[in-house]
Amino acid sequence: DARVTQTPRHKVTEMGQEVTMRCQPILGHNTVFWYRQTMMQGLELLAYFRNRAPLDDSGMPKDRFSAEMPDATLATLKIQPSEPRDSAVYFCASASLSLEQYFGPGTRLTVT
Amino acid sequence: QKEVEQNSGPLSVPEGAIASLNCTYSDRGSQSFFWYRQYSGKSPELIMSIYSNGDKEDGRFTAQLNKASQYVSLLIRDSQPSDSATYLCAASTSGTYKYIFGTGTRLKVLA
């Protein structure tokens, strides 16, 4: 069945290292979202793309985060350099014209 | 600042009862509303979407929308312990494709 997939599922890294998270949206979905979830802040929108074009990245710390969609089947979120405060669960979601967003399983990031 | 507000709970209901979850939103331009269920350690799962005033039923779930009052609710009939989760309300934002999520209501169904 159609699902959003994310890799890796878990990532432990040291402060200062680069982290890359990947997302494969549901086939045919043209809108892709990146969220971050923490206990303190809840679910925060970092960035989103429509038809591979970035529409809004205002939720993302620009100095260290970058998001790209090199093709319709792959979205990436990169953190460089990573910091302990980046520890969170990062979700990717995709949507079609209906606007209903379907979430991937998430990447649990721990930065030590 | 556009917001979606939910009571954080926990809302505790006995098994078999009706659980009522509520949500208010600030953006009068919002047209689409969604309820997600999130189990601990899992990702949000879409359970209902509603676009028009009134009620929408799907199995044990009923979503209710009142745009005049800027209020959305989710009723869960015959609540089961497996319904224990955090329920997130989301509203689309006018002129964009993105949602604003509430912080969620934690529901506990007691066996």
Side-chain angles (χ1 to χ4, degrees):
Chain A
D1 63 327
R3 295 184 187 186
V4 176
T5 59
Q6 291 185 247
T7 57
R9 296 291 307 277
H10 302 272
K11 177 73 176 179
V12 179
T13 191
E14 293 183 348
M15 184 173 63
Q17 296 298 303
E18 178 177 300
V19 176
T20 298
M21 291 169 267
R22 293 177 175 80
C23 166
Q24 181 172 12
I26 293 172
L27 188 64
H29 282 194
N30 64 346
T31 311
V32 175
F33 304 82
W34 282 106
Y35 291 92
R36 175 171 63 185
Q37 188 174 43
T38 62
M39 290 294 292
M40 294 299 294
Q41 298 296 325
L43 201 57
E44 303 173 273
L45 178 66
L46 298 175
Y48 78 102
F49 297 78
R50 186 164 177 87
N51 296 324
R52 295 178 54 203
L55 288 193
D56 188 340
D57 62 0
S58 60
M60 214 161 61
K62 303 289 192 306
D63 55 338
R64 298 183 301 108
F65 284 58
S66 62
E68 295 181 344
M69 201 161 174
D71 64 59
T73 64
L74 177 65
T76 63
L77 180 67
K78 190 173 295 186
I79 307 174
Q80 168 63 14
S82 58
E83 297 181 1
R85 60 180 167 152
D86 300 329
S87 297
V89 181
Y90 291 81
F91 290 109
C92 173
S94 71
S96 61
L97 293 175
S98 72
L99 298 184
E100 294 179 344
Q101 294 184 24
Y102 294 89
F103 282 74
T107 294
R108 184 173 296 275
L109 174 65
T110 303
V111 183
T112 61
Chain B
Q1 179 78 359
K2 296 172 182 175
E3 294 182 338
V4 172
E5 295 191 357
Q6 298 180 255
N7 188 315
S8 61
L11 172 67
S12 295
V13 300
E15 183 176 359
I18 296 175
S20 178
L21 304 161
N22 304 312
C23 168
T24 59
Y25 60 95
S26 64
D27 182 1
R28 282 204 168 272
S30 293
Q31 296 293 320
S32 307
F33 304 88
F34 308 90
W35 283 100
Y36 285 81
R37 176 177 61 199
Q38 187 174 24
Y39 292 113
S40 180
K42 301 295 185 181
S43 59
E45 174 191 7
L46 179 67
I47 52 173
M48 291 285 287
S49 58
I50 187 165
Y51 306 96
S52 305
N53 277 330
D55 295 0
K56 179 182 177 182
E57 188 174 318
D58 184 0
R60 296 187 296 112
F61 298 99
T62 299
Q64 299 174 318
L65 174 59
N66 184 326
K67 289 186 179 180
S69 301
Q70 295 177 243
Y71 179 89
V72 192
S73 64
L74 180 70
L75 301 178
I76 306 174
R77 288 182 299 282
D78 188 24
S79 295
Q80 301 298 309
S82 58
D83 295 325
S84 298
T86 296
Y87 289 79
L88 300 167
C89 173
S92 65
T93 54
S94 49
T96 78
Y97 301 101
K98 61 184 181 181
Y99 301 172
I100 301 295
F101 276 89
T103 53
T105 297
R106 188 170 156 222
L107 173 66
K108 297 174 73 172
V109 180
L110 307 172

